[in-house]
Amino acid sequence: MSWLGTAERIRTGRGPAAAPGPDTGPGGTPGLLAGIPRQHGGRAAGADAVAEGPNAPDAAVRWRPWRLLPTPLGTPFTFGYAVLLAATSLFAEYADPGLVSELLRGSSTDVVHLAQAPLLVLVASALWIAGGMASAYAVAFLFVLTALERRIGALRAVAVFFGGHVLATLATELPVAFSVAAGRLPESSLHRLDYGISFGVMTCTGALAGLLPAWSRWPLLAGVGYVALTDLLAYVDPLSDWGHLLSLALGVASWPLLRRWRHHRAAVAPLLGDLGHPALRGARTY
């Protein structure tokens, strides 16, 4: 058969189907090359794979109740910290009361201890739960930090928790030092007993709200803010209550940074041979 006859049969569809060319993928999909992962022609399949991955957006991940609690592999920071807090809480409950009282006073982030050993007491004060494992902050710690760590990773969750713990502690204790120096507070205020995880938990709560959908973000902030404001108006422990409101505000202020972190964590790393990935565009090939 002549070349013109072959071309005519292909054009009119009366001849045999054309063999897949180099630009035709499996099943006739144009633009796919065999053996090359994640090509531009297969974006639909790639999107499905990403949506099912560990860093998938909230809307694409099926809700699983057991993900509300920390696990050693999924949330190592929250899990390990929870075990440590459980151990110190049991020790505070069953150990000699005199020894426990001495350790708590040595871990207090009061003005005197902050002036003498700031790093030591800032870390040691976060090893205890004021009120024990049955307190509201202990329960909030498990759920809030688990949800936050699953969204931004362990190291960033550490930064949010201890960042809020340190900043809120300094912001509440430094004014006490200035007030004592000015004669507005007695010197006994320099030895105020202050320890616990509440500042870090409140910061993480405010931070987590920025990563949730709007229908759950604002009720969470409203509820937690109402509780903190009610405690402040009760005037039982105004210094700690101001610290709780400040911690919540610090978490809210971190929303832009957290969303950037989450976007970076959710970005899929380029696979070997995927020269079409934006991270590899412009790279030289030889």
Side-chain angles (χ1 to χ4, degrees):
M1 181 181 296
S2 67
W3 178 84
L4 291 176
T6 303
E8 177 64 19
R9 290 174 64 86
I10 294 176
R11 184 181 65 82
T12 58
R14 294 195 298 269
D23 294 332
T24 303
T29 305
L32 294 180
L33 299 176
I36 305 297
R38 289 178 52 212
Q39 300 166 59
H40 290 292
R43 286 178 180 173
D48 293 339
V50 171
E52 296 174 358
N55 296 326
D58 291 342
V61 179
R62 291 179 298 174
W63 184 73
R64 294 184 288 270
W66 56 87
R67 290 176 61 87
L68 296 175
L69 294 175
T71 58
L73 297 180
T75 54
F77 165 63
T78 305
F79 183 85
Y81 198 3
V83 172
L84 179 60
L85 290 174
T88 58
S89 297
L90 290 173
F91 178 84
E93 181 71 22
Y94 296 106
D96 178 66
L99 176 61
V100 172
S101 178
E102 183 179 352
L103 289 175
L104 291 179
R105 291 193 176 277
S107 304
S108 174
T109 51
D110 54 52
V111 175
V112 173
H113 284 106
L114 284 174
Q116 294 174 349
L119 293 180
L120 176 61
V121 294
L122 284 171
V123 173
S125 63
L127 300 179
W128 309 92
I129 304 176
M133 292 186 293
S135 68
Y137 286 106
V139 177
F141 172 89
L142 287 178
F143 292 105
V144 170
L145 265 77
T146 297
L148 183 65
E149 185 175 352
R150 289 193 187 279
R151 286 163 172 79
I152 64 174
L155 294 180
R156 294 181 176 111
V158 172
V160 173
F161 181 90
F162 283 101
H165 173 72
V166 170
L167 291 177
T169 299
L170 296 178
T172 52
E173 293 294 341
L174 290 180
V176 173
F178 294 141
S179 297
V180 171
R184 297 182 178 180
L185 287 176
E187 290 190 5
S188 59
S189 300
L190 299 177
H191 301 275
R192 174 179 171 273
L193 187 62
D194 187 14
Y195 65 92
I197 59 173
S198 59
F199 289 171
V201 171
M202 289 293 282
T203 303
C204 291
T205 302
L208 175 64
L211 303 178
L212 296 176
W215 63 267
S216 57
R217 175 188 310 151
W218 303 116
L220 174 62
L221 283 179
V224 175
Y226 174 78
V227 172
L229 188 60
T230 302
D231 291 341
L232 180 62
L233 294 177
Y235 212 74
V236 176
D237 188 359
L239 202 61
S240 293
D241 295 332
W242 273 116
H244 293 154
L245 281 175
L246 176 61
S247 302
L248 186 64
L250 288 173
V252 173
S254 68
W255 285 1
L257 180 60
L258 292 174
R259 288 167 179 169
R260 194 178 306 120
W261 282 351
R262 189 185 189 189
H263 177 75
H264 177 74
R265 177 178 168 83
V268 181
L271 298 177
L272 187 63
D274 187 3
L275 298 181
H277 193 278
L280 298 179
R281 288 176 185 168
R284 292 186 177 182
T285 56
Y286 298 94

